Amino acid sequence: MNIEKLKERVLSLVPDAQFEENKQFPVFIIPAAKLHELAKKLKTDEDTEFDFLFCLSGVDMVKYLMVVYHLNSIRLGHSLVLKVKTEDRENPSVDTVSDLWKTAEFHEREVFDLFGIRFNNHPNMKRIFLDDDWKGYPLRKDYIDEVNIIER
Amino acid sequence: MGYSRYDFTPLLHSIDQWLYSVMSPAWALIVELTLIGLAFLIFYALVGLFLVYAERKVCGFIQNRVGPNRVGKYGIFQTIADFIKLLMKELIGTKDADKLLYNIAPYIVIICSFMAIGAIPFAQGLLAIDFDIGILYIISVSSLSVIGVLLAGWSSNSKYPLIGAMRSGAQIISYELSVGLSLLTIIVLAGTMQFSKIVMAQENGWFIFKGHIPAIIAFILYVIASTAETNRGPFDLAEAESELTAGYHTEYSGIKFAFFYLAEYMNMFIVASIAATVFLGGWMPLHIPAWNGFNVVMDYIPPVIWYFMKTAFVIYIIMLFKWTFPRLRIDHLLTLEWKYLLPINLVNILFMALIVLLGWHF
Amino acid sequence: MNKDINAPAKQAEEVEYHVNMGPQHPSTHGVLRLCLTLEGEIIEKLEPHCGYIHRGIEKMCEKDTYQQIIHLSDRTDYVAAHMNNHAVCLLVENALQIEVPERVKYIRTIMDEMTRIQSHLLWWGCYGMDLGGMTCFFYGFRDREKILDIWEETTGARFLQSYYTPGGLMQDIHPNFQKRVKEFLKYFSKKLSDFDNILSNNVIFLERSRGVGYLSREDAINYGITGPSGRGSGFACDVRKRFPYSMYDKVDFKEILRDEGDTLARYQVRMDEMRESMHIIEQLIDNIPAGDYSAKMKPVIKLPEGEYYQRVETARGELGIYCISDGNKTPYRWKFRSPCFSNLSVLDRISRKCKIADLIAISGSLDLIIPDIDR
């Protein structure tokens, strides 16, 4: 599917999705509540079939936190990026997609570990790199560690 | 025969006579036992040191390395340096280990291997005790070491050692069968279990040649099974360093670890000795019937040298196994024993019995 | 003393037997800890615990310029440093739309393929050692040294080269480079049969790896298993074919695929990949065009505002870099999508109901590099 058709498809599934200009991939900003539903459709529909989640990243944009899903279809060869924003910095949460793409299980744990974004329904929502009693979420922009981070 | 000129019996006999003539019989016995014990202790240590060095050189040869070459010429003092290091190391044990068994286990392992050397004939007349059930004695004594291994694994109060000990238990007990049966094949041929008689019976040809194909099969089976019995690669599942860190002796350090290490090499030496004695004629020089000139020349080489050459040959084969093969998995190991080695062995004994009955052997 | 320890022992059948494999363990090759729940010697459950070597490289990248990030990228998958550098360079070059000289593309491709060979050699040695064949380790390292020697001459380093820079290379190749690479290829094509003799054709090895750790194609895609591990399950995930970069669209090579999905298939994919890599180098080594070894670059690189994603095929799979730039000389967010991190996630699934010895074979066949998992 080319970008236009993908755009049509996503917008028909989630009318309040926003399309974002990007040279590489079609990017869509999806409301958090509709993510799982859309992801499931994109994965199971035969003409989209995004079966390969090749990257899942968290981003701290200061105003909001964001989770970015890079999807690819092995058979059809097209790619797509989904973004989910959450403005709640105290207790952010997004639905998990680890039931659709197993690889998300580890990547979501990583995002939780480093950004503090909790994924609902995740089978094992624990920190993956840091100790369980670690304070703060290191990849957030407001993270302060006076001992280890040297400001330049 | 010519080799009798190297007979140790008159020498040892005269020492015995002299001792009994200068002191009371009780003292003479004590002195004799002490001397023999001391001799074996020194021999044990020397063989251990040499084997560790030899293994490292063989391993280096196979792996395109030079092996130890820093301590002394060609690194010959490397093992001594290692031994001193191990002596000086702190003995660290685990908390809540069963102290008594934990400490006793390395000694059990080493005593078992120590007891076995006593019955091995190094040359004519040069053996501590000539049992008429020599083979049976060696098999039983060397298989006792599994107790030490099991105790070491269990008493360490640690998980890897326990898994290693369990593996070792299963392994040694099953391969004991093959070792016993392959030796039994030769006993059928020899008609005796006494080592001195077995060696003498090979005067006009070693058993591996005398016994036709069954003897060769028995030799191959024996080498495989005894490699497994001594916990050496590719059957080193009990220590399996990439799986169980160091298996049953993970929690041992310093000299206690050295005991396990030494015992492993001595067990290798013992199984190689048995192989050399039972299959390859022990200290008996190579004799070919009717080649009298050849036999006379062979007789000039002392039996002790024959014995050590043969043993070294078998040891080299066992070392070659370790450094060329990857390790088996526990179920493959048991499959190999129970489904292949054991049936082959049983059929092999029947064949050998047939050959002996029909007089087909040389 | 802690009360739990002294609490009365539970009934024997209730107690699960837990074993910690790692962080110090001979076969985890680094500081990975696998929590095993055992039933006898059979693995009921496996939980990886990572983070023992987590250095916060992504956080450090946010403070560093793009040239500096090259040096950090070396230290993620340290066995394939060139390839990580390649990903960073391509990302910057594509973002700035710089066309690098042909010579650079040739050299980079050759270097990448040499990296693949040496990385697979290291893996082969360690894998053999994991399975108990110590000799493999020395054979693998002996030949790997030869590649490192060639690199040392050109890049000045053996391990963490940081040889690529945005726009080109640190310096030109050494005059001996082509000659020595050809010598190596000639030497190595003979040695590969040695490898087959000592391990690939060994009955014990075949018994231990055939049918062990089966990973289906669906699972491979679902878990994001890329690289040789994915291709061993028939997942055609080679970035060099799917999204060609540098010279990969101009050279002739096969994507090695196998359908068996067991450890043996993953093993054979890597062995065949070494041959393919040699084939690629052979095509390029004589034809390196003359020219500059670097495009003209400004001393301070600032990427235009936006998001970039760049992937390369490393020796272990697809390395992705997701970068958000706010127009400064340092990236706003820098994420490594490391192949080993995804590959690790499948370990639990494919090693259940296996024996401990199988787990060693499986984790070896996934070729995990721990700093790449932790970053």
Side-chain angles (χ1 to χ4, degrees):
Chain A
M1 261 191 194
N2 57 22
I3 292 179
E4 287 307 312
K5 276 189 180 166
L6 274 176
K7 192 174 166 185
E8 235 171 68
R9 169 60 60 90
V10 173
L11 289 179
S12 72
L13 289 171
V14 184
D16 45 356
Q18 284 171 276
F19 180 74
E20 202 178 84
E21 280 302 323
N22 185 295
K23 275 179 200 151
Q24 264 179 309
F25 307 114
V27 180
F28 297 94
I29 299 165
I30 307 293
K34 298 203 173 136
L35 170 77
H36 190 271
E37 197 188 337
L38 173 70
K40 194 169 182 180
K41 285 232 171 66
L42 286 176
K43 190 187 175 216
T44 46
D45 280 0
E46 252 179 40
D47 51 347
T48 48
E49 203 181 327
F50 286 103
D51 48 1
F52 182 33
L53 175 73
F54 61 89
C55 189
L56 193 162
S57 351
V59 184
D60 179 12
M61 299 301 283
V62 183
K63 270 187 247 157
Y64 53 87
L65 294 168
M66 180 165 79
V67 185
V68 186
Y69 303 83
H70 285 76
L71 298 171
N72 178 267
S73 167
I74 296 300
R75 187 168 62 86
L76 303 166
H78 52 213
S79 302
L80 177 87
V81 177
L82 300 180
K83 285 182 178 176
V84 176
K85 293 177 180 176
T86 163
E87 286 182 12
D88 183 359
R89 291 184 75 84
E90 290 307 310
N91 218 347
S93 75
V94 175
D95 283 344
T96 181
V97 291
S98 61
D99 50 338
L100 302 171
W101 297 284
K102 287 283 184 191
T103 181
E105 196 175 317
F106 265 44
H107 282 92
E108 283 176 353
R109 277 178 73 186
E110 187 194 346
V111 171
F112 169 66
D113 194 356
L114 304 175
F115 289 93
I117 301 170
R118 196 165 272 283
F119 290 87
N120 307 323
N121 306 328
H122 188 282
N124 191 13
M125 198 77 263
K126 284 194 300 191
R127 282 183 181 270
I128 189 162
F129 294 138
L130 307 176
D131 291 343
D132 286 339
D133 52 357
W134 191 276
K135 289 208 172 50
Y137 301 102
L139 276 184
R140 286 197 186 179
K141 292 286 172 187
D142 53 3
Y143 178 76
I144 299 164
D145 183 344
E146 284 170 354
V147 183
N148 294 317
I149 296 181
I150 300 157
E151 289 297 332
R152 276 180 290 207
Chain B
M1 292 291 273
Y3 57 82
S4 303
R5 74 174 71 88
Y6 297 110
D7 194 352
F8 281 85
T9 324
L11 173 73
L12 296 175
H13 200 68
S14 57
I15 295 174
D16 182 55
Q17 295 272 311
W18 177 73
L19 276 176
Y20 274 90
S21 65
V22 294
M23 54 186 85
S24 68
W27 271 111
L29 191 66
I30 290 169
V31 170
E32 269 180 17
L33 287 179
T34 318
L35 281 176
I36 293 170
L38 219 61
F40 273 128
L41 209 60
I42 293 166
F43 176 73
Y44 195 99
L46 284 179
V47 169
L49 288 178
F50 173 73
L51 281 180
V52 174
Y53 174 73
E55 164 118 298
R56 295 176 70 171
K57 277 290 183 193
V58 169
C59 150
F61 163 66
I62 293 171
Q63 297 173 348
N64 293 319
R65 303 184 283 120
V66 278
N69 65 342
R70 290 299 150 123
V71 192
K73 188 104 176 144
Y74 306 118
I76 39 172
F77 298 119
Q78 183 65 50
T79 27
I80 295 172
D82 286 345
F83 187 69
I84 293 169
K85 182 203 79 176
L86 283 170
L87 265 179
M88 292 194 299
K89 275 182 107 171
E90 188 188 353
L91 295 170
I92 308 163
T94 40
K95 189 167 158 281
D96 295 337
D98 190 322
K99 283 284 176 315
L100 175 72
L101 297 181
Y102 176 79
N103 289 320
I104 223 171
Y107 295 99
I108 292 183
V109 173
I110 211 156
I111 286 172
C112 291
S113 62
F114 200 74
M115 277 159 72
I117 321 180
I120 293 172
F122 297 103
Q124 197 171 15
L126 193 64
L127 79 168
I129 185 158
D130 192 13
F131 283 121
D132 52 359
I133 49 158
I135 290 184
L136 201 61
Y137 166 77
I138 279 202
I139 292 177
S140 52
V141 164
S142 61
S143 63
L144 274 180
S145 66
V146 69
I147 295 176
V149 171
L150 277 173
L151 283 184
W154 182 79
S155 67
S156 295
N157 189 31
S158 177
K159 286 169 180 176
Y160 286 123
L162 186 57
I163 299 173
M166 291 306 161
R167 283 180 175 190
S168 169
Q171 180 184 342
I172 296 186
I173 287 166
S174 5
Y175 277 85
E176 197 60 43
L177 279 168
S178 275
V179 170
L181 284 173
S182 52
L183 290 177
L184 201 62
T185 318
I186 298 301
I187 294 171
V188 168
L189 180 61
T192 175
M193 288 202 211
Q194 194 169 358
F195 274 121
S196 56
K197 282 189 185 161
I198 286 177
V199 176
M200 289 311 285
Q202 302 181 63
E203 193 177 357
N204 50 0
W206 302 345
F207 279 149
I208 192 166
F209 302 132
K210 272 179 144 182
H212 287 297
I213 297 161
I216 296 170
I217 294 175
F219 178 68
I220 295 168
L221 293 176
Y222 176 79
V223 171
I224 296 174
S226 60
T227 314
E229 205 205 333
T230 49
N231 272 335
R232 279 187 61 85
F235 307 99
D236 56 346
L237 292 109
E239 22 194 287
E241 61 156 36
S242 60
E243 294 158 29
L244 307 175
T245 55
Y248 60 90
H249 55 58
T250 306
E251 303 294 349
Y252 285 89
S253 67
I255 196 66
K256 284 183 197 160
F257 163 74
F259 279 178
F260 282 113
Y261 200 62
L262 197 59
E264 183 193 322
Y265 283 97
M266 285 316 292
N267 282 332
M268 182 169 69
F269 178 75
I270 289 160
V271 296
S273 295
I274 299 172
T277 309
V278 173
F279 295 94
L280 305 176
W283 49 262
M284 186 61 74
L286 178 62
H287 289 153
I288 296 169
W291 286 26
N292 286 331
F294 177 78
N295 292 349
V296 169
V297 174
M298 286 293 130
D299 283 344
Y300 273 101
I301 302 171
V304 182
I305 294 195
W306 276 108
Y307 165 78
F308 278 109
M309 267 162 52
K310 289 170 190 172
T311 311
F313 169 70
V314 180
I315 287 177
Y316 181 72
I317 292 179
I318 294 177
M319 282 179 178
L320 215 62
F321 283 167
K322 170 155 184 167
W323 298 111
T324 42
F325 290 132
R327 188 180 301 115
L328 275 84
R329 206 170 68 194
I330 183 74
D331 52 331
H332 295 152
L333 182 90
L334 297 179
T335 310
L336 176 69
E337 162 65 18
W338 293 101
K339 288 193 181 162
Y340 298 99
L341 297 190
L342 193 61
I344 293 174
N345 244 324
L346 289 168
V347 173
N348 200 29
I349 290 184
L350 280 181
F351 263 115
M352 184 56 103
L354 203 67
I355 282 177
V356 172
L357 276 179
L358 298 176
W360 284 352
H361 59 91
F362 297 116
Chain C
M1 197 183 258
N2 193 331
K3 244 194 165 165
D4 288 334
I5 295 171
N6 286 337
K10 286 187 198 162
Q11 291 288 305
E13 52 270 21
E14 284 176 30
V15 180
E16 286 179 323
Y17 196 65
H18 293 287
V19 170
N20 272 316
M21 187 170 270
Q24 279 87 34
H25 189 277
S27 71
T28 52
H29 303 304
V31 278
L32 174 69
R33 178 173 144 220
L34 303 171
C35 259
L36 312 179
T37 307
L38 296 178
E39 171 78 47
E41 217 176 286
I42 311 239
I43 293 159
E44 292 291 308
K45 199 167 150 256
L46 176 151
E47 199 183 335
H49 289 243
C50 359
Y52 287 90
I53 188 167
H54 181 67
R55 294 147 294 175
I57 281 189
E58 288 174 9
K59 184 83 177 171
M60 282 197 268
C61 288
E62 291 175 10
K63 306 260 171 195
D64 284 336
T65 63
Y66 295 97
Q67 288 98 327
Q68 287 170 322
I69 287 173
I70 295 271
H71 302 272
L72 286 175
S73 74
D74 273 0
R75 284 149 178 84
T76 54
D77 179 355
Y78 53 61
V79 191
H82 279 314
M83 292 156 162
N84 302 347
N85 295 348
H86 207 157
V88 181
C89 294
L90 284 174
L91 184 126
V92 173
E93 285 153 14
N94 289 347
L96 295 173
Q97 296 184 322
I98 294 166
E99 187 61 34
V100 296
E102 280 290 293
R103 183 177 178 81
V104 174
K105 285 187 184 172
Y106 271 76
I107 296 171
R108 279 183 183 176
T109 312
I110 292 169
M111 286 292 190
D112 269 19
E113 291 311 311
M114 285 169 81
T115 312
R116 199 177 312 280
I117 293 177
Q118 68 90 20
S119 169
H120 285 350
L121 276 174
L122 181 128
W123 160 83
W124 184 82
C126 295
Y127 188 54
M129 193 175 65
D130 285 350
L131 294 180
M134 268 288 267
T135 307
C136 306
F137 187 73
F138 290 91
Y139 276 44
F141 268 67
R142 177 195 63 192
D143 295 341
R144 180 171 173 263
E145 282 301 294
K146 300 208 183 313
I147 294 186
L148 298 190
D149 287 343
I150 298 174
W151 283 348
E152 192 182 6
E153 214 173 46
T154 290
T155 69
R158 296 167 69 82
F159 204 46
L160 304 168
Q161 290 93 356
S162 308
Y163 181 52
Y164 304 173
T165 54
L169 305 164
M170 223 36 124
Q171 65 250 333
D172 207 352
I173 48 171
H174 193 273
N176 285 343
F177 181 76
Q178 278 156 294
K179 192 180 99 217
R180 290 189 71 178
V181 169
K182 276 186 273 183
E183 274 168 16
F184 172 77
L185 290 179
K186 214 170 150 194
Y187 162 85
F188 188 60
S189 52
K190 284 184 204 135
K191 288 291 167 195
L192 262 172
S193 62
D194 271 11
F195 290 10
D196 287 339
N197 286 339
I198 195 166
L199 199 62
S200 319
N201 297 334
N202 188 304
V203 184
I204 300 173
F205 166 75
L206 292 174
E207 279 286 305
R208 275 197 65 180
S209 52
R210 189 174 285 145
V212 169
Y214 174 71
L215 172 67
S216 67
R217 184 174 182 273
E218 288 67 41
D219 277 346
I221 298 172
N222 207 357
Y223 279 89
I225 310 302
T226 51
S229 315
R231 291 195 281 280
S233 303
F235 172 23
C237 53
D238 198 330
V239 178
R240 295 175 293 172
K241 284 279 185 203
R242 294 186 73 212
F243 308 97
Y245 54 94
S246 285
M247 292 302 296
Y248 287 115
D249 46 351
K250 298 190 186 72
V251 291
D252 161 63
F253 70 102
K254 284 201 295 284
E255 178 176 7
I256 312 289
L257 284 177
R258 278 183 185 267
D259 297 326
E260 294 92 338
D262 52 3
T263 37
L264 185 62
R266 294 192 276 274
Y267 173 89
Q268 282 164 337
V269 166
R270 288 198 177 86
M271 296 307 277
D272 291 342
E273 267 188 15
M274 283 201 262
R275 295 190 171 90
E276 279 309 307
S277 294
M278 281 165 59
H279 182 52
I280 295 175
I281 299 174
E282 275 165 7
Q283 293 170 55
L284 297 176
I285 190 71
D286 280 325
N287 312 321
I288 302 178
D292 285 338
Y293 62 84
S294 180
K296 274 239 174 290
M297 295 290 289
K298 286 182 198 141
V300 177
I301 297 174
K302 288 182 180 171
L303 295 198
E305 211 175 316
E307 294 177 11
Y308 309 96
Y309 188 86
Q310 180 61 50
R311 48 187 144 198
V312 295
E313 178 77 15
T314 74
R316 273 153 211 87
E318 173 180 331
L319 170 73
I321 295 179
Y322 175 56
C323 167
I324 299 179
S325 169
D326 55 357
N328 276 328
K329 60 181 181 180
T330 61
Y332 184 79
R333 164 91 171 102
W334 187 275
K335 149 105 183 173
F336 284 107
R337 182 262 186 222
S338 64
C340 293
F341 186 63
S342 299
N343 289 4
L344 174 70
S345 63
V346 85
L347 191 58
D348 178 31
R349 181 175 171 91
I350 61 178
S351 59
R352 281 196 187 190
K353 298 290 168 196
C354 284
K355 297 192 171 55
I356 295 179
D358 290 335
L359 171 66
I360 308 296
I362 294 168
S363 71
S365 74
L366 289 176
D367 193 11
L368 302 170
I369 295 287
I370 313 305
D372 195 30
I373 296 170
D374 288 353
R375 281 159 283 142

